[in-house]
Amino acid sequence: MKRVSFYTVGCKLNYTETSTISQQFIERGFRVVEFGEPSDVCVINTCSVTEKADRECRQLIRRAIRTSPSACVIVMGCYAQLEPEKVASIAGVDYVLGTREKFNLFNYLKGFQKRSAVEIFRTSIQSVTDFIPCYTTGSSNRTRAFLKVQDGCDYHCAFCTIPLARGVSRSQSVEATVAQARDLVRRGYKEIVLTGVNVGDYGRRIGTDLVSLLRELEKVEGLARIRISSIEPNLLTKDIIRLARDSEKTCHHFHIPLQSGSDEILRLMRRRYQTALYKDLLYTIKEEMPDAGIGADVIVGFPGETNKHFEETYRFLVELPVSYIHVFTYSERPNTYAAQLPGAVDSRVRAERSEMLRNLSSRKRRYFYERFLGRTVSVLMEGTVENGLRIGHTRHYVRVGVPSVAARENAIVDVLINKVHEELCVGEVISNFGGQDEVLEAMTAGAEA
C-alpha cells in the first residue's frame, strides 16, 4: 500500500481542502502517514498571506524532499498559484498545482513516480469561478468539523493577495451545504465551523445569504453548535446577530477583522468601513448577548502607520469589548496596492507594536474569562489533554479545562468555572449532556486505570 503524507500551511479553509483531497487518496488505496515519515507521495498545501508563510512553504518542501528523497512531491495552493515558477525551481519538486487544479490532481498526474523535470498545472485565476465543496473527512477527532461554504473574494484590500490566489467570491447552494452538514453529524461531529475566504459574502451570486443558510442549518437534527469562523464587520447584519441571540445552536462568538483603529489607515487599506461602524457593531452584539466572545484581527506596521496612528489603534482596542486580538505584523506582498505605498515602517517598530497588542490581547482575554468565574457553562470537550486536563470550548469560545477522567472527548458537559489560569478556565464537571452516569463511568474507568 502506497503511503501519502500531507502538510497544510495557513487558514482553516486550507485545512478543510486538504482533508477533502486526502480522502481522494484514501479512496484510491493510499495510507495516510504523518508528515515527516517516509512517504511515497508528499502533498504540501501552501499559503501566501505573508512572506513568512512563503518562507515556511519553501522550508517544508525541502524537508519533505530530505525525508523522502524518492517521493513524488506535489505542491499546491495559494503560493503555488501566485509563484509557480519559484516553487518549481526548488530541486525535488515534481508537480505544481494551482487553485483549480489541486482538486483534480488525479486527472493531471498519471502515476506518482519521481520525475526528471517538474510539471506545472495552473490556469489563470480569472477563469476560476466554480465552487469546489470541501469539509472535514476521515478525522479521528469527531468534535469540531470545518465546512467550506464560500471561496474567493471581491474586496481587493490593499494588503491582500487572496483575490489573486483564489479568484472571485463564490458559494454553493443552501441545500448542498445542509446535506454536507447532515453527513458530518452522521459521522459524529457535534459542532460545525463555517469557513471561507469571506464567509459573510455567502450566497450573493446565487440569490441567498448567510442568515438564510444559518436558519436551515439550525434545523439539522443532532447538530449541537454552528460557529462562524470569521466575518467582515460590514457583512455582520442585525439579522445574523438576532438569530444568534435567539439560538441554542449558533454560537455567541464572532471573529470580526478590524485591521486598524485609525480611519486614515483603514482608507489606505481600502477597507469597507470606518471605526464608528465597527464600534457600533460590537456594542450592538454586547447589548444583545452580553457574554458573547468577540475576536479581532489587527495588522501592525502598514505603510504610513505613524506613532499617532498606532496609538489610535491601541486606545480604540483598549476601549472596545473585544475578548482577544489576533495580531499580524504587516508583510509586503507582491502585486498589491500596499506594496507601492510610501512610508514603510521599520521592522523593529513593527515588532514592538505587535508585542504591545499581543500583551493587550492577553489582558483582554483574561478579563473576559474572569466574568465566568463561579458560573456554570456548557463545554464541548475535545481530544486535547494538557497536564491532566481535557480541553474544550464554550459557545462563547472560552477555553476550558477539566480533569481528563471527568469527561470524554466529544461530550457536552456542564462545568463550574472555579479558576482562570493564564489563557485557560479550569473547572469541575457537574453534569453531562448524555447524563450523569456517563461522567461517573468515565471517572471510575480513570480511577481503575
Side-chain angles (χ1 to χ4, degrees):
M1 180 180 289
K2 284 193 172 184
R3 298 158 298 174
V4 58
S5 62
F6 296 88
Y7 199 99
T8 306
V9 184
C11 61
K12 296 300 183 184
L13 178 57
N14 265 8
Y15 282 88
T16 304
E17 293 176 344
T18 298
S19 178
T20 294
I21 292 166
S22 70
Q23 192 63 26
Q24 295 177 9
F25 278 87
I26 293 169
E27 290 168 356
R28 288 166 172 81
F30 283 79
R31 178 167 64 91
V32 177
V33 299
E34 290 292 322
F35 188 83
E37 293 184 18
S39 306
D40 300 296
V41 181
C42 296
V43 182
I44 300 166
N45 192 7
T46 62
C47 172
S48 191
V49 71
T50 63
E51 198 284 325
K52 181 181 177 182
D54 289 356
R55 186 167 62 252
E56 182 182 0
C57 292
R58 294 191 294 269
Q59 291 169 346
L60 287 164
I61 294 166
R62 294 187 177 100
R63 177 184 166 193
I65 293 165
R66 286 195 307 271
T67 304
S68 302
S70 60
C72 175
V73 176
I74 304 167
V75 183
M76 61 188 190
C78 293
Y79 187 41
Q81 177 70 32
L82 292 171
E83 300 281 0
E85 298 295 342
K86 189 173 289 187
V87 174
S89 69
I90 301 174
V93 172
D94 296 288
Y95 294 98
V96 179
L97 300 177
T99 297
R100 171 179 287 165
E101 291 76 16
K102 64 184 177 183
F103 296 108
N104 301 304
L105 58 85
F106 286 90
N107 294 338
Y108 293 99
L109 281 59
K110 308 303 181 185
F112 293 90
Q113 305 304 314
K114 199 71 186 167
R115 297 182 52 80
S116 57
V118 64
E119 277 202 77
I120 299 173
F121 297 100
R122 169 190 172 273
T123 55
S124 168
I125 200 64
Q126 284 76 25
S127 67
V128 180
T129 57
D130 49 334
F131 181 89
I132 307 297
C134 294
Y135 55 102
T136 306
T137 57
S139 171
S140 59
N141 184 342
R142 293 284 195 267
T143 301
R144 180 184 298 117
F146 294 91
L147 174 56
K148 174 181 169 184
V149 300
Q150 186 275 340
D151 200 351
C153 188
D154 297 341
Y155 274 20
H156 298 281
C157 297
F159 50 81
C160 189
T161 59
I162 288 177
L164 304 175
R166 285 188 169 268
V168 298
S169 179
R170 53 204 187 274
S171 316
Q172 67 176 352
S173 69
V174 170
E175 292 76 17
T177 305
V178 170
Q180 291 160 9
R182 290 198 181 103
D183 183 55
L184 289 167
V185 171
R186 284 194 294 270
R187 293 168 183 262
Y189 293 101
K190 287 188 168 67
E191 179 177 314
I192 289 178
V193 184
L194 307 182
T195 66
V197 174
N198 188 358
V199 172
D201 200 39
Y202 171 83
R204 177 170 54 85
R205 283 192 164 93
I206 56 174
T208 186
D209 56 18
L210 184 60
V211 74
S212 299
L213 174 62
L214 290 169
R215 288 188 182 117
E216 292 305 311
L217 289 172
E218 288 269 339
K219 302 173 186 176
V220 175
E221 292 185 13
L223 178 58
R225 289 184 181 172
I226 305 160
R227 196 180 299 273
I228 303 169
S229 59
S230 179
I231 185 166
E232 290 288 310
N234 57 304
L235 297 176
L236 180 48
T237 64
K238 289 183 178 179
D239 284 343
I240 295 173
I241 294 169
R242 291 180 187 126
L243 182 147
R245 176 197 63 191
D246 298 335
S247 172
E248 294 296 322
K249 293 187 177 185
T250 299
C251 290
H252 292 187
H253 167 224
F254 299 98
H255 190 91
I256 312 167
L258 169 63
Q259 310 308 9
S260 177
S262 162
D263 285 337
E264 185 176 348
I265 296 299
L266 287 175
R267 283 191 292 270
L268 283 174
M269 288 180 167
R270 295 181 170 177
R271 300 293 285 168
R272 298 193 177 196
Y273 54 88
Q274 295 283 271
T275 54
L277 182 149
Y278 195 93
K279 181 179 180 179
D280 288 347
L281 175 64
L282 265 61
Y283 280 102
T284 296
I285 293 170
K286 283 295 187 177
E287 184 178 338
E288 299 288 359
M289 294 166 279
D291 289 336
I294 303 176
D297 290 336
V298 179
I299 295 174
V300 172
F302 187 81
E305 183 187 71
T306 64
N307 287 335
K308 176 178 175 292
H309 294 134
F310 176 72
E311 288 167 7
E312 287 177 352
T313 296
Y314 192 90
R315 287 197 304 270
F316 188 62
L317 286 164
V318 166
E319 296 169 0
L320 284 179
V322 296
S323 313
Y324 61 91
I325 307 163
H326 285 174
V327 184
F328 298 89
T329 304
Y330 173 74
S331 178
E332 287 81 0
R333 298 283 73 206
N335 302 314
T336 60
Y337 174 73
Q340 309 166 28
L341 292 175
V345 179
D346 184 84
S347 59
R348 288 172 297 182
V349 175
R350 297 185 206 185
E352 290 168 1
R353 292 174 182 173
S354 295
E355 185 64 18
M356 287 179 66
L357 286 184
R358 291 190 179 103
N359 289 336
L360 176 61
S361 178
S362 294
R363 295 197 299 273
K364 286 276 190 180
R365 189 189 299 270
R366 185 176 183 90
Y367 177 78
F368 177 62
Y369 280 13
E370 285 176 347
R371 72 182 292 133
F372 294 94
L373 280 170
R375 295 170 56 183
T376 299
V377 294
S378 178
V379 182
L380 175 56
M381 305 312 304
E382 299 163 10
T384 304
V385 175
E386 299 175 2
N387 301 318
L389 297 175
R390 184 172 298 283
I391 307 300
H393 284 84
T394 71
R395 66 195 307 224
H396 323 93
Y397 207 56
V398 174
R399 194 168 184 262
V400 177
V402 302
S404 60
V405 296
R408 292 174 173 170
E409 178 184 353
N410 210 25
I412 295 179
V413 299
D414 287 336
V415 178
L416 175 64
I417 302 299
N418 50 41
K419 184 169 65 173
V420 176
H421 177 66
E422 295 180 352
E423 295 189 350
L424 179 72
C425 284
V426 180
E428 56 182 299
V429 176
I430 60 172
S431 65
N432 185 281
F433 188 81
Q436 185 69 16
D437 290 345
E438 185 176 338
V439 179
L440 295 173
E441 182 185 338
M443 294 178 71
T444 302
E448 290 175 350

